Amino acid sequence: NALLNNEAGLVDWRKKALIEIDALPAGKNYPVRTFKYQSDIFDATIGYQKGAFIFIEIMNLMGKDVFFDALKSFATKNKGKKAYWSNLANEFDIKAKADNSPYPIKKIFNQWLDNKNLPEYHITRTLFNTTSKSRDFTITINAKNFIQSKLPIVFEADGKSTKEYMEIKDSSNTFTFKLPENCKEIKIDPDYECLRKVYSWEKPFNFNRTLNSNPIIVIPDKNSSDYSIAIKFVDKLKESGYNFDVIESGSVNDDLINNNSLILLGNFKNNNLINSMKKKITDHINIDDNQLIAKDKSYPINKVSALINIDHPNNPDKLCSIFYYNGLPDEKMLTRYFHYMSYSFLALEIDNPRGPLVSGEIMPDYKGKKELRIMLTKLP
């Protein structure tokens, strides 16, 4: 309830949850119904992220009061007993029918539990009736792997937002709306209300995305004092179930760079790739060979490190994560970043366990991406 009453926090949670769900490797994805317990981070994503989002989908159809009434009734009836998904589905069904819901809640809930793939929405056709004074606007949404749901559409006009909902019932769905005066943009589900596929341009860069994009790791050369820390950090990644090709900076070639997502370890001096991306890095982290500056305070470079997730240097379809460090005593600071895998960029200090010195989000440019956005610049 605390999260549901905090709209900004809820939007942030939904966005992060969708990105983590969408990033599940094919071999680690399975239906929520078969989730039993957490044995790795992928189980956690299915059980605690996708599972929670399914409840949000059902709540959106039932209404908050009826939804929580059903949960309370389920808890009362099954107290001290072994309960199953079917018990919860039946309770949702009972309460929805009593409230005269137009939705087959039990069927929809079971579909969500058994569906491994996320629905995918895409604008395929738009039409503005220029002969109509009523400003009729028609839009067609294609839905793949769809489950009946309510998909929000937002009209942006003169700094004001108007939201309506579209009933997704088929693989192709057409709707007509009255377009607001001076409408500049139309957005489909901009606040991530629906459990759905997210497109690459909707996702902030982060380490979790790079990890799941089959990257290569480029480390400092053996003669660098930072080489051993890089190797130990790679070993920690392998212990977590990941496995990558590891290449020394001096041995990497253009084909490897262009055809792979990248995890780069080191600094401007000992990793040529990191040095070639110096401008992009310093746009977000104020760092150089000797110091890092955050909130008008300077930190010696051997006491801090930074993680930067940015666009790939050459290939827009690939990703890049950079662990910047210089002269750290061991790899422990780098492994701390496992707690910040959804951050785009941040800096940590050895003697400060409380949190990042600086952090933020880096988004890809979505201009020209028309799957879920329409820019209206020439309408009468």
Side-chain angles (χ1 to χ4, degrees), residues 147-159:
I147 295 174
Q148 187 173 351
S149 60
K150 296 194 298 183
L151 184 66
I153 180 170
V154 175
F155 303 93
E156 299 285 355
D158 293 334

Side-chain angles (χ1 to χ4, degrees), residues 84-286:
Y84 301 89
W85 285 115
S86 59
N87 300 113
L88 185 54
N90 288 334
E91 204 59 44
F92 281 147
D93 193 53
I94 291 170
K95 296 299 182 181
K97 288 179 177 177
D99 192 52
N100 297 315
S101 172
Y103 302 102
I105 294 296
K106 183 177 180 178
K107 175 184 176 181
I108 293 172
F109 184 54
N110 283 326
Q111 286 177 320
W112 279 121
L113 293 177
D114 295 325
N115 190 44
K116 183 172 70 171
N117 299 314
L118 295 179
E120 182 176 341
Y121 301 114
H122 188 266
I123 298 171
T124 57
R125 179 175 176 270
T126 59
L127 177 64
F128 180 71
N129 188 351
T130 57
T131 63
S132 172
K133 293 182 180 180
S134 62
R135 300 179 64 81
D136 288 345
F137 179 81
T138 300
I139 184 169
T140 298
I141 305 289
N142 272 18
K144 182 180 178 182
N145 302 319
F146 76 95
I147 295 174
Q148 187 173 351
S149 60
K150 296 194 298 183
L151 184 66
I153 180 170
V154 175
F155 303 93
E156 299 285 355
D158 293 334
K160 296 181 181 179
S161 297
T162 304
K163 181 190 295 185
E164 299 193 43
Y165 286 89
M166 302 175 287
E167 299 283 350
I168 300 298
K169 298 180 179 179
D170 209 334
S171 57
S172 181
N173 309 264
T174 299
F175 310 91
T176 298
F177 299 95
K178 305 299 181 184
L179 200 66
E181 292 283 346
N182 301 316
C183 185
K184 299 295 189 243
E185 186 174 9
I186 297 173
K187 302 176 181 179
I188 306 300
D189 193 25
D191 293 327
Y192 310 96
E193 297 178 47
C194 296
L195 182 52
R196 62 171 175 86
K197 172 183 173 61
V198 285
Y199 291 95
S200 60
W201 51 266
E202 295 183 88
K203 306 173 189 177
F205 295 118
N206 62 47
F207 186 45
N208 189 51
R209 288 183 63 195
T210 307
L211 275 176
N212 290 293
S213 64
N214 194 30
I216 61 171
I217 299 181
V218 181
I219 63 175
D221 294 330
K222 284 184 179 179
N223 59 2
S224 168
S225 59
D226 295 309
Y227 172 83
S228 62
I229 289 179
I231 292 298
K232 291 177 182 178
F233 179 65
V234 170
D235 289 341
K236 293 294 184 182
L237 287 173
K238 291 180 179 179
E239 289 175 12
S240 299
Y242 297 99
N243 193 22
F244 313 104
D245 289 332
V246 180
I247 303 168
E248 292 180 31
S249 173
S251 301
V252 71
N253 57 53
D254 288 342
D255 284 341
L256 285 172
I257 295 170
N258 295 339
N259 296 319
N260 292 278
S261 291
L262 306 169
I263 297 176
L264 311 179
L265 302 180
N267 54 63
F268 299 137
K269 289 184 176 180
N270 61 28
N271 191 314
N272 295 332
L273 269 177
I274 293 178
N275 187 56
S276 71
M277 302 178 72
K278 187 172 185 177
K279 176 63 169 62
K280 290 184 178 181
I281 293 171
T282 54
D283 281 345
H284 302 285
I285 296 284
N286 191 347

Side-chain angles (χ1 to χ4, degrees), residues 276-307:
S276 71
M277 302 178 72
K278 187 172 185 177
K279 176 63 169 62
K280 290 184 178 181
I281 293 171
T282 54
D283 281 345
H284 302 285
I285 296 284
N286 191 347
I287 195 168
D288 60 30
D289 296 332
N290 301 308
Q291 64 182 352
L292 180 147
I293 299 175
K295 299 176 182 177
D296 298 322
K297 184 176 179 180
S298 176
Y299 300 86
I301 196 62
N302 64 339
K303 298 293 183 180
V304 294
S305 65
L307 169 60

Side-chain angles (χ1 to χ4, degrees), residues 290-335:
N290 301 308
Q291 64 182 352
L292 180 147
I293 299 175
K295 299 176 182 177
D296 298 322
K297 184 176 179 180
S298 176
Y299 300 86
I301 196 62
N302 64 339
K303 298 293 183 180
V304 294
S305 65
L307 169 60
I308 305 280
N309 300 279
I310 50 181
D311 52 317
H312 191 278
N314 298 332
N315 189 337
D317 295 323
K318 301 297 181 179
L319 301 168
C320 181
S321 293
I322 299 170
F323 287 85
Y324 190 97
Y325 67 98
N326 189 346
L328 295 178
D330 54 47
E331 80 285 357
K332 292 180 181 177
M333 174 176 282
L334 299 186
T335 60

